Amino acid sequence: MNLTPDAGGVFPIAPTPFNADGSIDWTSTDRLFDFYQGIGADGITVLGIMGEAPKLEPEESVGIVKRAAARMPGKPIIVGVSAPGFAAMRSLARQVMDLGAAGVMIAPPSSLRTDDQITGYYAQAVEAIGTDIPFVIQDYPLTLSVVMTPAVIRRIVMDNPSCVMLKHEDWPGLEKISTLRKFEAEGSLRKISIVTGNGGLFLDFEMERGADGANTGYAFPELLIDVVRFQKAGQRDAAHDIFDAHLPLLRYEQQQGVGLAVRKYTLMKRGILASDAQRKPGAALSAKGKTEVDYLLARLAKHDPRARV
Amino acid sequence: MNLTPDAGGVFPIAPTPFNADGSIDWTSTDRLFDFYQGIGADGITVLGIMGEAPKLEPEESVGIVKRAAARMPGKPIIVGVSAPGFAAMRSLARQVMDLGAAGVMIAPPSSLRTDDQITGYYAQAVEAIGTDIPFVIQDYPLTLSVVMTPAVIRRIVMDNPSCVMLKHEDWPGLEKISTLRKFEAEGSLRKISIVTGNGGLFLDFEMERGADGANTGYAFPELLIDVVRFQKAGQRDAAHDIFDAHLPLLRYEQQQGVGLAVRKYTLMKRGILASDAQRKPGAALSAKGKTEVDYLLARLAKHDPRARV
Amino acid sequence: MNLTPDAGGVFPIAPTPFNADGSIDWTSTDRLFDFYQGIGADGITVLGIMGEAPKLEPEESVGIVKRAAARMPGKPIIVGVSAPGFAAMRSLARQVMDLGAAGVMIAPPSSLRTDDQITGYYAQAVEAIGTDIPFVIQDYPLTLSVVMTPAVIRRIVMDNPSCVMLKHEDWPGLEKISTLRKFEAEGSLRKISIVTGNGGLFLDFEMERGADGANTGYAFPELLIDVVRFQKAGQRDAAHDIFDAHLPLLRYEQQQGVGLAVRKYTLMKRGILASDAQRKPGAALSAKGKTEVDYLLARLAKHDPRARV
Amino acid sequence: MNLTPDAGGVFPIAPTPFNADGSIDWTSTDRLFDFYQGIGADGITVLGIMGEAPKLEPEESVGIVKRAAARMPGKPIIVGVSAPGFAAMRSLARQVMDLGAAGVMIAPPSSLRTDDQITGYYAQAVEAIGTDIPFVIQDYPLTLSVVMTPAVIRRIVMDNPSCVMLKHEDWPGLEKISTLRKFEAEGSLRKISIVTGNGGLFLDFEMERGADGANTGYAFPELLIDVVRFQKAGQRDAAHDIFDAHLPLLRYEQQQGVGLAVRKYTLMKRGILASDAQRKPGAALSAKGKTEVDYLLARLAKHDPRARV
């Protein structure tokens, strides 16, 4: 089952569960994928930046993909394959597709500057992994330091038929979605799926601008599902009401560097992860930070009973 | 009246009002300062990044400072004097102090990398402007690309007695405030004022970590004043309640690049600015963006009557 | 006398002479311009990066331009007007043109990333200074962090008739010159002057690739003139012979940060500057560094008697 | 045989030979290592930036190390193990040490900014690979974008007993060597080996400042050996004479991006490599560029018969 441009909905970015000793917690891994399956996630992304992918041994990476495929049957699995060299990218991409992945996600290396460098990089990446593997562009300037204009994204999409999705997390990015959808309406860009990241911080309006869904890792992916469904159903106020209730916590989780610690702590409080451990090197949440998350959860629970932990 | 380390409260970052033709709208300028004075702002910062300072002619910059001094008597005025060279920085700093400013704010140039380069830069800046002018460190890595550890800030403060305030807008930054206050408690850092920027996105918790106030430009500075006052009075829940009501709009305004357009549009809707014009080059708000702000204002008005525009 | 696309030859980048107390040494300034005039320089660039322009007061900058105009009659004077805002850029550009400058040089701010941002910036700069002022693009990625492809340079040139010259100092840059000249041959780019910087480190081959001359500040501009003349006369070996003799010193001078100190020290040894002082903040040459320059000068003097100091 | 702080001399950075189809050319690989052994290289570095390491499959990387160990018996082999994650770094480091490597080289990731981030990274790297593996710090700001002060290098050395060597390629860097040697003389830094990179562009003076040797990939490593030997023997003029003869070509090879193409082309002309191919993506040398290298070789051959190809 390959990923297509018609994909949409919520693809959570899965964290990788670890035990306190740094080994992978496979029990929590299974529980996490079961949880995503249970709440109705439309797919999953593993081995992304928030999945601590560079810290994993090759066999561990493969193990994560196998578990996802086993626990979320029928759901497309996207695998991050960004690597400093095309040899490693190709190896991982071909291996995970054989294991049942639906597509791969490729982030540009931070050294790229000009439009031509960026489009050239994606052309080389496609040549490396093969034109038969559907891929997702990750557009995340804040972390990756690569700035892609809508016209550059259009060139990548039009030059590479295997490009099926944009993980949009430019910031600000609302106008970018509108511009890309205008390109489509004008006929200069073929239809691709646009799913948004950035922790979900603008998901409420991104859906109104034409996004197809969310591809981020907020510790309450149910909220992402709610917002996407309400917006697709035309229930604008309902979408904003539930979004606004979560915004204080969502904003707190969307802190560079410490965000993953907040996410894992919350998932642990929810009983999904056994531990909030990160493999070294990782940014821990301070005792004070934990009390702040607890306070935000308690406030959220007044509006959303799912936050009662 | 010089700025001191005891300063606190809310120092709005003032935008510069323009007419549609690009000239300064002095009537709106006066109205803006009157507004800040009327709501009880504790001071004001002019000629900052959001004040479009680099677009102003020298005489215009001086004019802004004069108006602020005239309209906000008794309130400390902080003036941004960041410049590519120390000659210009010195000229502007000495000139505005003569006009009644209480201190100046200095941002580091983006080329600085090592700890020694950063502390060396501030030493040179102080030598240039003179040790008699109180100054504020602007710590804003997201925009300025300069990363200062708490230890570097401590060195700047301890090496330069004229440093009285930190405009803290690192992101994430909660632990940084806690660390600096711990340094003070341990006796390795003298007391300085810490006021926070970053659009106010974490003001709720920043006050709990030990900040003295806010130094940012959200279009409802009354909200900043509310949060600071509630937190100083120990009314934690009240602070968070009003903060959370504003967070959807505040978050929308805190978008890099387009944020100033949102801010000016909102201030225009509130009747404080006659126009939301920016001097060229500026990022305009799209028609769609304006309807989004209108929607957020309407939703906010249900919780805060001051948002009825 | 306005700068035109037919300009060529050697335009030294003039340092600004200072006294030990940091004031401008006007006597040395006059002597420096007399020196350039005497050796047959084809023009001059003042207030560039190596002219310590950001450290100058406005009236000092104007003074430098006046002296250059007075001492180098009949020679085109290019003035660096790069500034953080367009108001300052416009003021300086119009002022120096009134004083007799032939054109201005504009470097892009380091925040620019995408092709559209770069071309947009130059469009705005031209709108600010006026379309009647000939301008030079400075393409110096190593220092400015802005990467312009040949296609981007072409867009700037073709969109802005007042663009007459490219100060080329990309590194590596030989293919860039060839590509731009190919664009011209194909008819997609109008003729502009290409003069090269980068300390002259590749001038020998740059001339063979189609450069029109040099626009850099090596302390023996006579060498630059020799290379340009030999190459224009088709005397390839002679050009390389004299170039190679100077290369050890030229390479030593082409060190980021400390290069200006080497340049000023050498000009002082040559009797052109009274002092090698830089206005603060500046990178001084160590005692050891001075002995190294002395050694290189002594070695050079065996091949080029002009180096006997 | 582990690398020690007493190491010195010339450690060429080995390119990886490829066939035109992108496969590794093992015959040329053997010939290359035989060549280094034959000219009296003191050791070798493989899998560095110029070795196209990120393009290699894991088994290929291991193969390169095996060949080096087999062909250069008795010579220390340094292996680049820089990786985006510590898991991969540890795996490669332990594997190559088992194969006979003498030590590993670690470059900092480009995201590091503050002094503490840099020293923290090396502490984590040592924890990952184990304290029993001697390691080399790579200090190459031009390419890696990480700026280390001498004090930061000192902290890394003093905090990590397994640090034995600095690959110094800061630019400019002469004063840095002097400062580090001063630290040693003062007793605040223990003795480490300092070998210099940067294509050898300042090797003549680096040796005079206290470097122990060269660790770079110029296509005539014999020149590096000559300069190091002459300088160690106190024959300053002889060192500079031979250095200056090579400088025009050496400078041409020291171009970012295209430098490796120049190096491989020259090694091919010398009969050491069968092809100048790079594995994709690689920067090819244009036809014009090749004639320029040919011209430089012909000129060099007049001074150094080894350049007759």
Side-chain angles (χ1 to χ4, degrees), chain A residues 88-233:
Chain A
M89 185 188 292
R90 174 188 168 83
S91 292
L92 183 58
R94 302 219 64 90
Q95 196 167 12
V96 299
M97 292 304 287
D98 287 345
L99 293 172
V104 300
M105 182 164 68
I106 300 172
S110 63
S111 56
L112 303 181
R113 303 298 297 264
T114 71
D115 292 4
D116 289 347
Q117 286 172 343
I118 299 167
T119 55
Y121 180 82
Y122 276 96
Q124 292 167 334
V126 169
E127 188 182 339
I129 64 171
T131 56
D132 56 325
I133 298 183
F135 77 92
V136 181
I137 302 168
Q138 184 172 19
D139 179 23
Y140 194 13
L142 187 62
T143 289
L144 301 171
S145 300
V146 176
V147 183
M148 304 185 197
T149 62
V152 161
I153 293 169
R154 179 169 56 185
R155 274 175 62 191
I156 298 170
V157 172
M158 299 308 282
D159 289 353
N160 300 286
S162 55
C163 179
V164 296
M165 183 182 271
L166 172 69
K167 175 166 167 51
H168 163 286
E169 40 192 342
D170 200 351
W171 178 60
L174 295 176
E175 296 302 325
K176 196 172 215 172
I177 299 173
S178 293
T179 300
L180 289 169
R181 291 309 188 203
K182 184 164 66 74
F183 286 169
E184 285 183 20
E186 292 169 358
S188 68
L189 176 65
R190 66 179 168 81
K191 169 76 175 71
I192 52 162
S193 174
I194 300 178
V195 289
T196 63
N198 220 340
L201 198 61
F202 290 91
L203 182 62
D204 49 346
F205 288 111
E206 286 164 343
M207 291 305 298
E208 300 177 13
R209 294 293 187 120
D212 293 302
N215 186 205
T216 194
Y218 178 50
F220 284 90
E222 302 97 317
L223 176 270
L224 308 175
I225 293 173
D226 288 348
V227 171
V228 169
R229 288 192 183 155
F230 279 130
Q231 287 285 15
K232 287 192 175 175

Side-chain angles (χ1 to χ4, degrees), chain B residues 54-57 84-87 91 110 124 127 280-281, chain C residues 54-57 84-87 91 110 124 127 280-281:
Chain B
K55 303 178 191 170
L56 301 182
E57 300 280 356
F86 289 127
S91 291
S110 62
Q124 292 166 332
E127 186 182 341
K280 285 196 245 180
Chain C
K55 303 178 193 170
L56 302 182
E57 300 280 355
F86 289 127
S91 292
S110 63
Q124 290 167 335
E127 188 182 340
K280 285 195 243 180

Side-chain angles (χ1 to χ4, degrees), chain D residues 92-151:
Chain D
L92 183 58
R94 301 219 65 89
Q95 197 168 11
V96 299
M97 292 303 288
D98 287 345
L99 293 172
V104 300
M105 181 165 67
I106 300 172
S110 63
S111 56
L112 303 182
R113 302 298 298 264
T114 70
D115 291 4
D116 289 346
Q117 286 171 345
I118 298 167
T119 55
Y121 181 81
Y122 276 96
Q124 291 167 334
V126 170
E127 187 183 340
I129 65 172
T131 55
D132 56 326
I133 298 183
F135 77 93
V136 182
I137 302 169
Q138 185 172 18
D139 179 23
Y140 195 12
L142 187 62
T143 288
L144 300 172
S145 300
V146 176
V147 183
M148 303 185 198
T149 61

Side-chain angles (χ1 to χ4, degrees), chain C residues 108 112-123 146-148 152 156:
Chain C
L112 303 181
R113 302 298 298 263
T114 71
D115 292 3
D116 289 347
Q117 286 171 344
I118 299 167
T119 55
Y121 180 81
Y122 276 96
V146 177
V147 183
M148 303 186 197
V152 161
I156 298 170

Side-chain angles (χ1 to χ4, degrees), chain B residues 59 150 217:
Chain B
E59 58 273 28

